[in-house]
Amino acid sequence: MLTILLHTPLNPEGGGHVISFVGSIWGASLPRRSLYGIAGAALLIASGAIHLDLYLTGYNSIPTIGPLFLLQIIAAYLLAVAIPLTGYRLAYLAGAGFGLATLGGYLLTLKVGLFGFTEVRTTAGIIAAIIDVAIFAVLGCGAISGLGLGRRLIPAIGAVSAVALVLTIVFVASPKTPPAVATGGGGQTLDARTIAGKDLLTDAKGLTLYTFVPDSVNKSVCYGDCATYWPPVPGNMSAGPGVTGKIGTITRTDGTTQATYDGHPLYTYIGDHSPGQDGGNNINLNGGLWKDVPVGSG
């Protein structure tokens, strides 16, 4: 209903000073598009983009965690569309819950591990965590905007957001310490196994070994977060049956030893959990491309 008040009557004989229309002005019948909804949708898109990049560059090969990443990506984009399009408070609440749940999953994998996977501290992960806190704060406020108790609930949302941010800082500052890479000893072997129709280099447990393209001959550049995802193969290895390349040992900057194959430092991949898997092959993760090692190719 649109009502117009006039100081003088448009129709002198009618004597009325109020004219009423039944209708709508532009946009009034469209779904509510609040600033909270638009901002929340933008944050959800940013979160989805970060998770999509991580999924495509290696996380898709990690059991359970990979499918969860895909689910997060789909949910983020669906909510980013639904919230500003519908304006429903339930959609706002779902978005706020998504931000809090995603943050909780990240902190759990960072501190104690989740589904057998331990996250490492990365710039992308930290940025995503901060965005998740912002998603909860913005969409939480959007969900209660216009309600009678809205102003009273805003401090509670602010308090939860502050606690979430503090926990993020604490967990990021003290992530779970990965087990130290053991040094090799005599009698350990590098073996040749047929994986996906190719004869590849593996460790004694049958796990596929990889080389890192940014490495140079007899020198590794994979340290810190990188070495957590890609544990260096201990040095002092010997060749098993079918292994024809030259096996060597280098000393890393932290004092541990690492095996090499024809001068290329060797690594396993935390995404491989059993013999026959080669989930790390041809993925670009932690600063460069990773390749499995065909036996005899050098």
Side-chain angles (χ1 to χ4, degrees), residues 39-218:
L43 291 168
L44 284 166
I45 290 172
S47 176
I50 292 175
H51 286 91
L52 178 60
D53 178 69
L54 292 171
Y55 177 80
L56 294 175
T57 55
Y59 280 64
N60 56 355
S61 64
I62 302 175
T64 306
I65 295 298
L68 284 177
F69 260 67
L70 183 59
L71 182 62
Q72 286 179 340
I73 295 162
I74 295 172
Y77 287 129
L78 286 177
L79 288 168
V81 173
I83 289 171
L85 186 63
T86 67
Y88 292 157
R89 296 187 190 278
L90 185 60
Y92 280 74
L93 287 173
F98 169 86
L100 213 55
T102 303
L103 175 66
Y106 171 70
L107 296 182
L108 280 176
T109 57
L110 188 68
K111 192 67 175 179
V112 298
L114 190 64
F115 301 112
F117 174 75
T118 300
E119 181 65 89
V120 297
R121 183 173 52 198
T122 61
T123 300
I126 295 171
I127 293 174
I130 294 173
I131 290 175
D132 290 334
V133 175
I135 288 172
F136 169 78
V138 170
L139 294 179
C141 289
I144 63 173
S145 63
L147 293 177
L149 296 177
R151 293 185 178 180
R152 297 181 182 180
L153 293 176
I154 286 180
I157 293 176
V160 173
S161 300
V163 170
L165 187 58
V166 169
L167 288 176
T168 299
I169 295 172
V170 171
F171 279 42
V172 166
S174 58
K176 180 180 179 181
T177 303
V181 177
T183 57
Q188 293 179 301
T189 63
L190 300 182
D191 301 326
R193 291 178 181 247
T194 300
I195 299 174
K198 299 184 296 182
D199 291 331
L200 300 179
L201 191 67
T202 72
D203 65 7
K205 296 179 180 179
L207 295 178
T208 302
L209 302 184
Y210 301 91
T211 58
F212 189 36
V213 171
D215 283 348
S216 54
V217 175
N218 292 323

Side-chain angles (χ1 to χ4, degrees), residues 190 192 201 237-248 260-264 266 293-298:
L190 300 182
L201 191 67
M237 294 288 183
S238 58
V243 176
T244 59
K246 181 181 179 180
I247 297 175
T260 63
Y261 188 72
D262 287 334
H264 300 289
L266 297 173
V293 185
V295 176
S297 66

